Amino acid sequence: MAISSLHPFKYVLPSQHSPYTSSTSCSELNLYLLRLNRSRSFSRCSVLSSHSNPKILKSNRRRFGQTVSPYDSDDIVDGDEDDESDDDLFSDDEFSGSQFESKNSNNASEIRYSGRFSRRSNRRASVGSSGRRKQEAEMSTEKRFHRLSDELELDERWLPLLDYLTAFGLKESHFIQMYERHMPSLQINVASAKERLAFLLSVGVKHKDIKKILLRQPQILQYTVENNLKPHVAFLVSLGIPDSRVGQIIAATPSLFSYSVENSLKPTVRYLLEEVGIKKNDLSKVVQLSPQILVQCIDSTWTTRFSFLTKELGAPRDNIVKMVTKHPQLLHYSIEEGLLPRINFLRSIGMRNADIVKVSTSLTQVFSLSLEKNLKPKYMYLINELRNEVQSLTKYPTYLSLSLDQRIRPRHKFLVSLKKAPKGPFPLSSLVPTDESFCQQWAGTSLDKYLAFRQRLLLKDLAKKYERQ
């Protein structure tokens, strides 16, 4: 709360000890009386705002839009470094929320708050055509964000930045999310924001991903290019990340910039190499598959999952390291809701622990597949239609990763229609090659003929689904 003084300025009345004695000139006495009169006009208490914390929203504001999760995944914790430069924030003179206008009305001095553009009343008249165009542009911008001004304690100094960010697809609801996540990010001057976002675009971040990055990590507008953005990009390159992939990693894990390279990111890499056992040649691939691994509490996530797989399946350490190398997302999966239910399903269809270790080492993605929409339907088709046994999955675990509607059923039905399907168990090896190789090696027909058959089958299945609804 900003309050002017509750007590008027006090001046000592002229006396024998006062500078204003009988020998004081008339002009000096008039100056004294003028100062005294001014002090009285400012003796009223003037409240500028109902609160002093700019992050507190209006009590009557309407909420719209969902708040984005502050983390890239459930296992990610807060960053440990904030390279937020104060140099690009508006100065006190530029960004003061306690500006006043003095207006003489009925011989009384009226103090009016002018911190928000919606209450601005003393807009100066522009001179010339260029001035009028500028004024019209400013009024148009204010009109665009009028709804936002009703939601937040919005300062007119934010308008250039908000106007610039709309070019990336951000709307009023998105600005509210940014405000709630990290209000100071909206106080950055537009020149600094342009410099930082231009740098991100220059290293491969796609224009369409800027909005997602700002919603998840609005603090990125405060991170300086030289002290934060460049060192973090250099760190990624030092891991062997190709330049063409740097932008994708930033878009996937923008919180990366809030972690210290020396105190957090490099120690995580050392832990992956020395404690987990990831080979140095595989490190780049691991980070590209799961950039979130750099900002996890890697020691706890690795320890708990390694302990679980060892005790539950008797999995050797080498197998678990291969699982993490092939599918580092394994370290994100919940044990109770992710790993254990899928292990129990594989057990229920007749697999032993050794079989499960073999399948999960070859196809670690099995832990990410839906039980009801993926694993169970494919198992039923394997047994009832392809007339195979569950043991075939240990030889061809890739079967579980293939699309039932786009790959498994069309190829099976196509060979049956050509009378080229074997009478016994259907060969799962026919499902592995590309469509072109499948047509040459198994169907002995043209690719166009197979694709036309698959399209008709998909449309037929789609029609059946609509009939059931």
Side-chain angles (χ1 to χ4, degrees):
M1 180 183 296
I3 305 178
S4 61
S5 175
L6 295 175
H7 305 285
F9 296 100
K10 295 184 179 179
Y11 292 89
V12 180
L13 293 174
S15 66
Q16 59 182 357
H17 302 294
S18 171
Y20 301 101
T21 61
S22 58
S23 62
T24 304
S25 66
C26 182
S27 61
E28 290 176 328
L29 183 59
N30 289 337
L31 179 61
Y32 162 76
L33 293 175
L34 178 62
R35 288 177 177 172
L36 181 61
N37 182 55
R38 286 180 179 175
S39 70
R40 289 171 179 171
S41 68
F42 281 94
S43 64
R44 306 185 189 117
C45 172
S46 177
V47 180
L48 305 185
S49 176
S50 60
H51 56 76
S52 60
N53 185 353
K55 293 186 179 182
I56 298 178
L57 304 181
K58 288 184 176 181
S59 60
N60 63 343
R61 61 152 296 203
R62 302 178 303 276
R63 298 180 62 88
F64 57 98
Q66 296 296 323
T67 303
V68 182
S69 170
Y71 308 125
D72 294 310
S73 72
D74 293 338
D75 292 315
I76 295 172
V77 296
D78 287 330
D80 54 12
E81 176 183 283
D82 286 322
D83 175 44
E84 299 177 359
S85 173
D86 293 332
D87 296 337
D88 22 283
L89 292 174
F90 294 104
S91 66
D92 291 339
D93 293 334
E94 294 176 312
F95 199 78
S96 174
S98 57
Q99 301 178 33
F100 290 92
E101 298 175 19
S102 178
K103 183 177 179 181
N104 192 348
S105 175
N106 298 325
N107 298 323
S109 177
E110 295 180 356
I111 308 301
R112 298 173 46 144
Y113 173 58
S114 65
R116 294 178 55 200
F117 71 82
S118 60
R119 300 181 186 178
R120 190 177 182 188
S121 62
N122 68 334
R123 185 180 300 278
R124 296 180 179 178
S126 301
V127 180
S129 60
S130 61
R132 284 194 298 271
R133 285 195 297 268
K134 182 179 180 181
Q135 183 182 22
E136 290 173 358
E138 291 175 355
M139 293 178 66
S140 175
T141 301
E142 293 180 1
K143 184 177 180 181
R144 288 174 59 192
F145 299 112
H146 181 73
R147 184 183 181 188
L148 192 61
S149 70
D150 293 337
E151 299 287 331
L152 308 175
E153 290 292 345
L154 186 66
D155 192 286
E156 62 178 357
R157 300 299 194 277
W158 299 0
L159 293 179
L161 176 63
L162 301 184
D163 190 49
Y164 167 66
L165 295 181
T166 58
F168 297 98
L170 279 89
K171 301 179 181 179
E172 288 182 313
S173 61
H174 300 134
F175 293 132
I176 288 181
Q177 293 180 34
M178 292 176 64
Y179 184 97
E180 292 175 337
R181 176 72 63 79
H182 192 69
M183 185 276 291
S185 63
L186 297 180
Q187 295 180 345
I188 298 299
N189 66 63
V190 69
S192 297
K194 286 182 177 180
E195 177 192 18
R196 285 146 199 185
L197 296 186
F199 176 79
L200 295 181
L201 292 171
S202 72
V203 297
V205 175
K206 295 181 179 179
H207 188 278
K208 66 181 181 66
D209 289 332
I210 293 293
K211 179 175 76 172
K212 179 177 69 174
I213 290 174
L214 292 177
L215 291 178
R216 297 172 69 179
Q217 191 76 9
Q219 297 95 318
I220 209 166
L221 291 175
Q222 297 177 268
Y223 298 154
T224 62
V225 172
E226 295 298 328
N227 295 334
N228 186 298
L229 302 184
K230 279 187 178 180
H232 283 77
V233 170
F235 166 74
L236 292 176
V237 174
S238 72
L239 300 181
I241 307 296
D243 292 341
S244 60
R245 292 279 294 166
V246 169
Q248 298 175 40
I249 290 176
I250 293 174
T253 315
S255 61
L256 176 79
F257 292 105
S258 66
Y259 289 79
S260 166
V261 172
E262 298 298 329
N263 300 327
S264 181
L265 300 180
K266 287 185 177 180
T268 296
V269 169
R270 284 196 296 271
Y271 190 91
L272 288 171
L273 296 173
E274 298 171 5
E275 301 297 329
V276 177
I278 302 294
K279 295 180 180 178
K280 191 172 183 178
N281 294 337
D282 293 327
L283 182 62
S284 172
K285 181 180 70 173
V286 168
V287 173
Q288 291 179 64
L289 289 173
S290 180
Q292 293 86 356
I293 201 171
L294 292 173
V295 293
Q296 280 185 298
C297 292
I298 190 63
D299 53 347
S300 63
T301 56
W302 160 254
T303 302
T304 54
R305 285 153 185 80
F306 173 77
S307 178
F308 169 77
L309 292 173
T310 301
K311 294 178 180 179
E312 188 71 23
L313 297 175
R317 182 185 182 90
D318 289 345
N319 288 72
I320 300 176
V321 172
K322 289 179 181 178
M323 293 180 194
V324 174
T325 302
K326 287 185 176 182
H327 193 69
Q329 292 89 339
L330 174 69
L331 298 180
H332 309 324
Y333 299 153
S334 165
I335 291 176
E336 296 299 326
E337 298 179 4
L339 304 184
L340 189 57
R342 284 149 185 81
I343 289 174
N344 288 336
F345 167 74
L346 295 177
R347 283 173 176 162
S348 71
I349 64 176
M351 283 193 183
R352 299 169 300 175
N353 285 350
D355 297 327
I356 297 174
V357 170
K358 186 175 181 180
V359 169
S360 58
T361 301
S362 178
L363 185 73
T364 313
Q365 296 95 313
V366 70
F367 292 118
S368 68
L369 301 178
S370 168
L371 287 173
E372 300 299 328
K373 297 181 179 180
N374 202 310
L375 294 179
K376 290 182 180 180
K378 289 177 184 177
Y379 169 72
M380 297 304 296
Y381 197 86
L382 177 76
I383 301 299
N384 298 331
E385 301 294 334
L386 302 183
R387 301 186 184 281
N388 262 271
E389 297 181 353
V390 69
Q391 285 74 16
S392 61
L393 293 177
T394 59
K395 187 176 181 180
Y396 293 102
T398 305
Y399 170 86
L400 295 173
S401 68
L402 301 176
S403 170
L404 183 58
D405 294 330
Q406 297 283 347
R407 176 74 71 94
I408 300 172
R409 185 182 291 113
R411 290 194 181 185
H412 171 237
K413 296 294 184 182
F414 188 58
L415 291 183
V416 170
S417 69
L418 297 176
K419 297 182 179 180
K420 292 187 177 182
K423 294 181 180 180
F426 187 82
L428 300 186
S429 57
S430 66
L431 305 174
V432 177
T434 63
D435 288 342
E436 188 174 5
S437 297
F438 165 74
C439 292
Q440 293 176 355
Q441 299 174 13
W442 295 90
T445 186
S446 67
L447 177 62
D448 291 340
K449 187 175 180 179
Y450 167 67
L451 294 178
F453 175 87
R454 184 175 67 180
Q455 182 67 18
R456 290 194 301 271
L457 184 63
L458 290 173
L459 291 174
K460 185 178 180 180
D461 292 341
L462 185 61
K464 289 181 179 180
K465 290 180 180 179
Y466 275 107
E467 288 176 1
R468 290 194 295 266
Q469 291 180 354

